[in-house]
Amino acid sequence: MLDGRIQELESSLLARITSARSAEELEAVRVEALGRKEGALTLIGKEMGKLAPEDRKRVGALLNGAKQKIEAALESKGRQMADAGLRVRLDAEWIDLTLPAPGPRRGHLHPMTHIQRELEELFVSMGFTVLDGPEVETEYRNFDALNIPATHPARDAQDTFWLEGGNLLRTHTSPVQVRGMEKLGPPLRMIAPGRVFRNESVDASHEHTFYQIEGMMVDRNISVAHLLYFMRIMLTAIFHRDVNVRLRPGYFPFVEPGFELDLQCLLCGGSGCPVCKQSGWVEQMGCGLVHPNVLRMSGIDPEEWSGFAFGLGITRLAMMRYGIDDIRLLQGGDLRFLEQF
Amino acid sequence: MKFSYNWIREFVEDLDCAPGALEKLVTMKTAECEGIEVAGALLDRACAARVESVEPIPNSHNVKAVVDAGRYGRKTVVCGAPNCRAGLITAYAPIGKKVVNGVESDGMLASGAELGLNRDHAGILELDAQVGAPIGGCVPDSIIEIDNKSITHRPDLWGHLGMAREVAAILGHALKDPVRPDLLPQGAGGIRIQIEDLDLCPRYSALVFENVTVQPSPLWLQYRLTAIGVNPINNIVDMTNHVMAELAQPMHAFDADLLKGGTIFIRPAKAGERFRALNEEEYTLDPSNLVIADAAGAIALGGVIGGLDSAIGDKTTRVVLESANFLGSSIRRTSSAIKLRTDASMRFEKAQDPANTVRGLARAVELLQELSPGIRVAGGVADQKKDIPAPPPIELPLDWLERKLGRAVEPAEVRRILGQLAFGVSEPKRGVFSVTVPSWRATKDISIKDDLVEEVGRMVGYDSITPQAPLVPTAVPPENAERRFQHQARQIFADQGFTEVYNYSFLSEDTARIFGFDPAAHVRVTNPIASDQALLRTSLQPGIWKNITENQKHRDTFRVFEIGLEIHKPEVDLTAEGILDLPDEIVHLVAALYDRDSDGVTGLFEIKRAAECLLPGARVCPAEARSFEHPARAADVQWRGETVGRLFELHPSLVEAGRAAVLDLDLQAVERLAAVETKYTPIRRYPSSAFDLSVIAGLREQVGKLESAIASFAGPLLESIQFVREYSGPPFEAGRKSVTFRLTVGSAERTLSSEEVGTIRGGIIDGMRELGYELRV
């Protein structure tokens, strides 16, 4: 009698659990089945006492089995419902990640800054100090101390901006050599990147304001062979590839001997192309052994010390590196240009 | 400077090196060659030809001529020259057939210009020659162009003989000197010479010639000059140019009959002295200009240009030929002052050799005998000169030479090289050469042993030196903290969305005035490239303003910044030497944020935030606005107790549309203040307590000031104070606002009791009430 009721209850409750659609509905089934006072199975449990002892054990087992099945079904169904709820909630949180992020975009460093930083890091890694000098220089440091007295025709080659009061805008970064020697004394390794000025009309390939890097090493017994070695190492690092260089006579009053340094054309590898005017070589920079007069004027004894110096036009380097065909862009302040770097 | 290969070949024995190869050798060992051009390309094919008949071509200026062209036979050519006539001996060049005016023309009759002999293209050549003969003995030439900048230190390389000496040394061939000193006449000078200042004019030599015939030069001379870019004029002038191009010795010929008095004076010009030059310009001179004068006045501007009134003309029969030497710097000064550079001044500027004047005269005597038949020298060489002692020999230790070059050179080779370049070499001590310098290298170029390193080095070839790593002691380079800091600042601003610009260091007076700067307070350029670039910038702001103006044409919103130097005129006037002290150059960072559709507020706070990225804890203190600043939006930026910059909105009248917030920082000051060592403080172990306070204040009262006041009353247990919000509107009366702060208090030693927190809070409330503020608690 009870057996039949238990089995009937069990299957009907299990069916209702399966078909329950909400947490409330499920709770109602739980109360109806297992509620402490009125739960159908609870009530059956209370009737157990009336059974004959021989039936009590069997019916008890049957009842417990039904309770366990229903509890398990309730829990499983409850978990299913919670999972489904979370899924729905999270799904509602869909966003479009292809939308742009708010806030400003990263800005851009000037192409000359990129080149200067790269060169500074390179030279510091080789034990060079980075020195700064003023943009306004004395005639003495810009010319005389570099072995270019007032009567020297080399002054013609550097069209100078003169300032009221007799000073000038430096025409090269070489005066920083003088400052470096005065400040650091020998032995020394220094570079001086910076802005220089020449009184020239501006067009696509000429600027009155441009950038140079000056370098100098003063030590004992520095030779042309050392200069050659160093220039090759340096240019290999600058161009990120093996380079070949050659020296030929060049005239700069602050070095003796002075050289023009040619780089084997990186485009054609030396076989000749329009860039190197079919010569296989491209004029790259001036360099030389520091003139003893220059050492002496900076208080260094040329019998004891010697050195090499070089000057590199980094505006041109930047133009080569980035393929910039109009020098005016560099100081034009046009964001359409600057944002490319 | 253009060099004729054929001319050089006259001086170098057995020159067997082709022009192309020679150009490369000269570039590697002497001076930079810029290229080779062929001159007189047609000359090896052209020949003299007789015009046999001429007939007109209907409807054309041209004529049809039949010529006897020697080995080329009889040819029919179309010719447009007005002087083409039967019987004329002219030049024929076989350049192929083409149909002109319906007539097949086989080859051409050529003018001097077409053959490259001179610049005459008015008509075809008129020759006195046998049919079939080559033209004036002229052959094609290769013209090697040398970069003038690479020979500024070499006075001797401004003439062919100097270059030939280099070529001979490079190839190891012998050099032939074209000068025959034996041709110089003996005896008393043909004219008196009086040099006032032997420093300005170390030597003046002259010869007088009589029975001169002025006429066109023979074709070979016209060709030689034309090929190197010099215009042929007449035999006398062409001769002087020939000597100059050959020996680097400029010369000048005066018509002797047009000179007054029997003396040539070399003296400074008188103030205001006027001079008519050969170029038909009139110059007003001053005593810094050196003139050549006769009894009446200036007849030449020494070393620069001759005078029109004593110029050689068709009627000239007597000539005074000047061959002088001048101080290079004086010539350079005069030439740049009157803005006239001539072939002569360019050479004298390089410090020519005083010994060369009489060599030039000797060469002139030889040439004039050919160019002006029947010419006679009147008297001997007139020559006044400064006594210039020979420079002492240079001691050249060979081991030192090896250390400088980084390779050994055989002593015999050193001796050969120096000898071929005309240095005198002896070896008084084993391993040490004693070297005398030839006069043309001693004027400026070579005086110390380092100069000889170059002579030997370039001739053995720098490519013969094996690169060698310099062995120098390991050393950590002294740090450049300023520059490192600038790079950090750059990176921070770029990361915050600002793009870096580089602006010019120049400023116009107008722009200075717009910004209320006094133009007189700026360092001024005396020779500016344009009048609007005459001042040096004392602020980076005008440049940034220009960036804003230009970029707003393409962008609705953008951020830019620049790091650069402000240049400030020194306070003290002059140094002892009368030269202005160097200006103060101060590194600044100026950043700007532009927004077309904005009330400017967001921009100001955004740029303030960027500033705080570089200056954590910076304070902004509203200050009186300057003329170019928004009158209610300008403030000083303070950091670590110092004013380090300015934050403001550009005055809206300076911005066409939209708003621009600007930040200007003195990076030099910021870098100094940034240099503090970081030290760790232990993390607090006891919990802290937080509470909010709201102050009622006037609408324009600064939150920053309220915050400082509250913080001052909170005492030492205050950990932090943070602005939460401000609010105006009901229930507050008009003109009032409520500002809410969150305070956090705590102690490193214990947890504060609620009574202690209450006491702090009470203290703040009382303190603020004292100052007249109500608090909503």
Side-chain angles (χ1 to χ4, degrees), chain A residues 105 107-108 110 113 120 129-130 132 135-136 156 160 162 164 167 189 195 199-200 207 224 256 333 339, chain B residues 28 332 404 454 473 478 480 483 487 494 497 500 502-505 524 526-527 529 551 555 580 585:
Chain A
R105 299 282 84 84
H108 303 264
H110 195 278
T113 296
E120 284 172 31
T129 303
V130 184
D132 291 306
E135 291 177 358
V136 175
D156 288 348
T160 308
W162 292 94
E164 267 180 11
N167 293 315
R189 276 171 271 175
R195 177 179 274 207
N199 195 336
E200 279 192 24
E207 248 292 1
V224 178
E256 186 64 56
E339 284 170 357
Chain B
M28 292 309 291
R332 185 171 160 266
K404 279 281 169 184
E454 173 156 41
N480 185 333
R483 192 171 266 268
H487 284 320
E500 189 181 23
Y502 280 26
N503 288 314
Y504 291 117
S505 302
R524 187 177 286 272
T526 55
N527 57 337
I529 209 128
N551 281 297
R555 293 272 195 284
L580 212 58
E585 298 186 10

Side-chain angles (χ1 to χ4, degrees), chain B residues 65-400:
Chain B
V66 176
V67 298
D68 173 3
R71 66 182 186 275
Y72 297 110
R74 178 156 292 128
K75 296 286 180 189
T76 301
V77 291
V78 174
C79 178
N83 63 336
C84 181
R85 58 184 187 272
L88 176 69
I89 305 280
T90 185
Y92 171 81
I95 55 163
K97 292 178 185 175
K98 67 177 177 183
V99 176
V100 184
N101 302 127
V103 177
E104 191 183 71
S105 179
D106 185 2
M108 72 188 272
L109 301 182
S111 68
E114 280 163 331
L115 292 175
L117 294 171
N118 53 34
R119 295 184 185 173
D120 182 6
H121 42 69
I124 50 177
L125 276 179
E126 305 210 359
L127 298 170
D128 178 12
Q130 295 290 317
V131 168
I135 311 297
C138 303
V139 295
D141 198 356
S142 294
I143 304 303
I144 302 174
E145 172 124 34
I146 302 277
D147 180 6
N148 285 353
K149 282 207 288 284
S150 73
I151 51 174
T152 53
H153 59 309
R154 291 290 302 270
D156 58 321
L157 292 189
W158 291 78
H160 279 70
L161 180 62
M163 188 54 77
R165 184 178 294 110
E166 294 285 321
V167 171
I170 290 169
L171 299 171
H173 291 209
L175 181 76
K176 286 182 286 190
D177 186 351
V179 176
R180 289 180 52 199
D182 59 295
L183 293 179
L184 285 174
Q186 302 299 310
I191 193 164
R192 280 188 300 280
I193 291 165
Q194 199 172 316
I195 303 175
E196 193 162 306
D197 185 339
L198 282 168
D199 288 331
L200 295 177
C201 176
R203 189 166 194 179
Y204 195 99
S205 316
L207 274 180
V208 179
F209 292 91
E210 293 173 344
N211 200 31
V212 175
T213 318
V214 177
Q215 59 190 19
S217 296
L219 282 180
W220 70 263
L221 178 53
Q222 294 192 29
Y223 174 44
R224 182 151 273 189
L225 294 179
T226 302
I228 58 166
V230 178
N231 210 0
I233 304 210
N234 58 46
N235 56 343
I236 306 302
V237 175
D238 293 352
M239 179 280 297
T240 63
N241 285 330
H242 183 280
V243 173
M244 175 171 70
E246 189 167 83
L247 304 179
Q249 171 65 54
M251 288 190 149
H252 183 69
F254 300 99
D255 184 326
D257 294 320
L258 298 177
L259 301 183
K260 312 282 183 299
T263 306
I264 287 183
F265 301 92
I266 298 94
R267 59 164 170 82
K270 294 170 184 140
E273 186 166 1
R274 297 175 81 80
F275 168 67
R276 284 214 298 164
L278 274 174
N279 60 2
E280 299 181 16
E281 296 279 329
E282 180 154 343
Y283 297 98
T284 305
L285 306 176
D286 67 55
S288 74
N289 311 128
L290 192 70
V291 296
I292 315 302
D294 62 8
I299 54 171
L301 194 50
V304 182
I305 193 167
L308 192 61
D309 301 334
S310 57
I312 302 297
D314 295 342
K315 299 190 182 73
T316 302
T317 58
R318 292 175 64 238
V319 164
V320 172
L321 185 62
E322 160 195 304
S323 184
N325 187 269
F326 300 103
L327 180 67
S329 54
S330 151
I331 300 300
R332 185 171 160 266
R333 205 162 36 238
T334 295
S335 154
S336 52
I338 67 168
K339 296 191 170 60
L340 177 65
R341 294 193 91 206
T342 59
D343 287 334
S345 76
M346 264 196 306
R347 285 176 172 78
F348 281 125
E349 276 177 18
K350 314 298 186 282
Q352 287 298 331
D353 174 14
N356 211 17
T357 61
V358 287
R359 282 172 51 81
L361 289 178
R363 185 74 175 121
V365 170
E366 185 179 10
L367 286 167
L368 284 175
Q369 280 167 359
E370 178 190 343
L371 300 178
S372 176
I375 198 168
R376 286 191 305 270
V377 179
V381 178
D383 189 18
Q384 195 187 351
K385 62 181 173 185
K386 182 180 173 181
D387 185 29
I388 302 169
I394 300 171
E395 204 172 81
L396 178 66
L398 295 180
D399 59 342
W400 177 87

Side-chain angles (χ1 to χ4, degrees), chain B residues 23 199 289 303 462 481 520 543 552 573 582 598 635 658 664 680-681 688 740:
Chain B
E23 181 208 25
D199 288 331
N289 311 128
Y462 295 124
Q552 69 171 355
D573 261 3
L582 284 184
S598 151
D664 186 336
Y680 154 81
T681 40
S688 37
T740 304

